[in-house]
Amino acid sequence: MTHIPAITGTGLFTPEQTISNAELVEAFNAYADLFNAQHAEAIAAGEIEAKEPSSEAFIVKASGIEQRHVIDKTGILDPTVMHPLLRQRGDEEPSLMAEMGVDAATKALAAAGRSADDIDLVICAASNLERAYPAIAVEIQNLLGVSGFAFDMNVACSSATFGIQAAADMVRAGSVRAALVVNPEICSAHLEWRDRDCHFIFGDVATATLVERADAASGAHFEIMSTRCATAFSNNIRNNNGFLRRSRPDGLKDRRDMQFMQNGRKVFKEVVPIVSDHIADHITAGGIDAGDLKRLWLHQANKSMNDFIGRKVLGRAPAPEEQPNILQDYANTSSAGSIIAFSKHSDDLQAGDHGLICSFGAGYSVGSVLLRRHA
Ligand code: COA
């Protein structure tokens, strides 16, 4: 016997600290001035390039981002530091990702009227994991008091939708009654804040999504009609950090490729058609016309990219409420972005309305979840 899976609750952990574009640009430009003064001779001799200043106007125009939430702003905004100062937790303390994840998961449980006893599976799906093992998901499972099993997975910015597909398939097959898909994203720790081309892109957050049998839902919920995941290899978004770094002879520090790298222009050009076609194929296979889609909750990386995708899928410019953006407040929060949009902008849908969550990013990867609202 198979079961229909549903999303019955979501939860969101938002760090208290924010960095406005003005604060970010002021710190970056102070760092650039410092760098240029320290390397004045080499710059004059043409051996290295001077750092160009960043600009608030560029950031808003190129991305739509106005601010970001971060766990620690003091280090990021100190021109002599330029990265968050995050204490590595001791083995006897909860890890940072687990702490953020538990906060979001507890809210998702409350939203669905569920307790830890109702859950059989925890998936921690994120674009970077704080350690190799034990899995962060098993730690979250333990802190919540959930029985059953847990595992980590990483599909970069698509981690949430790939996690929801894994959870939905297990609920459908009956191997679990209910699953929490948790996405703690500490993007500030893998962003190079000294790189003008990308220093404005990311923020920190955690989201959680509760997936369970639709017939067990105690209130309004979203039936998961179908899910679809796809990947196609690309080097245009890459982070080379990994456990082999210690055995490299070329030093551990200041290797630029040990943080997030991207060829933003290429990503923009190549990913828009991949995602638009993916969504169109997915809804067609589900028997839904684009005109019947009440809402698109897209990955939040770039406003114009989302505008392009929305226009291609709907065949017209989407109204702001049809395709909500949250990246002006949160920036790109990797896998969590589309779930923040869903969490904040889904309660008003009516019974029978259809919507689609879609995330995309490094890999390349794209994942979508087709939903129908039930009262
Ligand atoms: N302040 C001022 N100028 C800046 C700047 C900054 N912070 N960063 C870059 N510039 C300059 C560049 O040097 C370039 O100058 P040039 O024309 O003299 O060479 C110019 O602005 C345009 O830069 P470009 O990188 O082409 O901008 P863009 O319009 O492509 O926007 C991104 C950059 C990253 C916002 C955009 O490409 C993007 O969002 N791509 C998709 C990213 C994505 O989805 N990634 C997935 C991550 S998970």
Side-chain angles (χ1 to χ4, degrees):
M1 179 182 168
T2 59
H3 305 273
I4 295 170
I7 295 178
T8 56
T10 55
L12 179 60
F13 164 77
T14 303
E16 279 169 24
Q17 299 183 27
T18 56
I19 299 179
S20 67
N21 286 347
E23 289 174 293
L24 183 77
V25 166
E26 188 187 342
F28 179 89
N29 291 348
Y31 155 75
D33 288 346
L34 210 58
F35 178 94
N36 292 342
Q38 279 167 353
H39 299 87
E41 274 183 30
I43 292 168
E47 289 159 15
I48 52 172
E49 279 185 26
K51 300 268 181 202
E52 298 287 332
S54 184
S55 103
E56 279 181 69
F58 173 85
I59 294 171
V60 174
K61 186 167 165 286
S63 70
I65 295 165
E66 292 168 18
Q67 64 160 34
R68 66 284 298 140
H69 288 262
V70 292
I71 308 276
D72 168 63
K73 66 188 280 185
T74 49
I76 296 168
L77 294 183
D78 182 338
T80 64
V81 179
M82 299 296 281
H83 59 77
L85 297 169
L86 303 174
R87 182 178 64 84
Q88 182 153 12
R89 301 287 174 89
D91 291 358
E92 305 309 320
E93 306 174 79
S95 64
L96 188 49
M97 284 182 75
E99 207 168 75
M100 296 162 69
V102 164
D103 183 287
T106 305
K107 289 170 182 159
L109 286 168
R114 292 277 172 230
S115 71
D117 293 342
D118 302 314
I119 308 298
D120 293 331
L121 164 66
V122 177
I123 299 175
C124 177
S127 56
N128 265 285
L129 291 157
E130 198 170 328
R131 60 167 181 265
Y133 46 82
I136 304 289
V138 179
E139 190 183 358
I140 294 173
Q141 175 198 6
N142 180 52
L143 291 168
L144 289 172
V146 166
S147 353
F149 65 106
F151 60 86
D152 289 349
M153 56 186 280
N154 175 356
V155 202
C157 290
S158 301
S159 299
T161 49
F162 278 56
I164 289 172
Q165 167 157 305
D169 284 351
M170 283 190 246
V171 167
R172 192 176 284 112
S175 53
V176 303
R177 292 168 300 156
L180 277 165
V181 181
V182 187
N183 320 106
E185 293 285 6
I186 311 176
C187 300
S188 63
H190 53 95
L191 175 60
E192 178 49 88
W193 296 89
R194 295 171 300 181
D195 183 341
R196 177 179 88 135
D197 289 344
C198 65
H199 76 120
F200 53 90
I201 286 180
F202 285 124
D204 300 333
V205 82
T207 51
T209 306
L210 205 163
V211 178
E212 61 177 315
R213 292 175 190 172
D215 60 12
S218 56
H221 60 276
F222 285 89
E223 172 194 334
I224 298 178
M225 296 173 65
S226 59
T227 56
R228 184 174 278 218
C229 296
T231 47
F233 188 70
S234 165
N235 271 324
N236 286 328
I237 313 170
R238 192 167 170 120
N239 180 340
N240 280 337
N241 201 355
F243 73 97
L244 289 182
R245 64 187 295 206
R246 282 188 168 276
S247 57
R248 287 182 177 148
D250 51 357
L252 303 179
K253 283 195 74 188
D254 272 353
R255 279 263 308 264
R256 178 63 189 89
D257 64 329
M258 293 292 158
Q259 302 279 60
F260 165 84
M261 306 262 289
Q262 76 166 350
N263 190 337
R265 282 262 138 191
K266 276 200 172 159
V267 172
F268 197 113
K269 273 206 186 117
E270 292 175 5
V271 169
V272 166
I274 293 175
V275 173
S276 311
D277 291 348
H278 178 96
I279 295 176
D281 290 350
H282 186 179
I283 59 172
T284 303
I288 304 293
D289 284 336
D292 293 332
L293 270 187
K294 280 283 181 308
R295 198 143 303 167
L296 280 171
W297 299 280
L298 296 181
H299 173 48
Q300 305 282 317
N302 179 293
K303 182 173 181 308
S304 17
M305 200 168 175
N306 284 3
D307 290 346
F308 267 108
I309 293 168
R311 208 174 302 136
K312 191 101 186 284
V313 170
L314 300 182
R316 59 175 171 78
E321 65 276 11
E322 287 180 301
Q323 188 186 287
N325 284 320
I326 54 86
L327 89 172
Q328 66 279 6
D329 301 321
Y330 282 87
N332 182 346
T333 49
S334 196
S335 72
S338 57
I339 306 299
I340 304 175
F342 174 72
S343 179
K344 285 182 175 283
H345 299 281
S346 54
D347 282 350
D348 60 309
L349 290 199
Q350 304 295 311
D353 284 351
H354 295 103
L356 180 123
I357 301 175
C358 183
S359 54
F360 43 86
Y364 294 135
S365 56
V366 50
S368 51
V369 184
L370 184 58
L371 299 170
R372 178 163 42 218
R373 176 76 165 172
H374 285 255

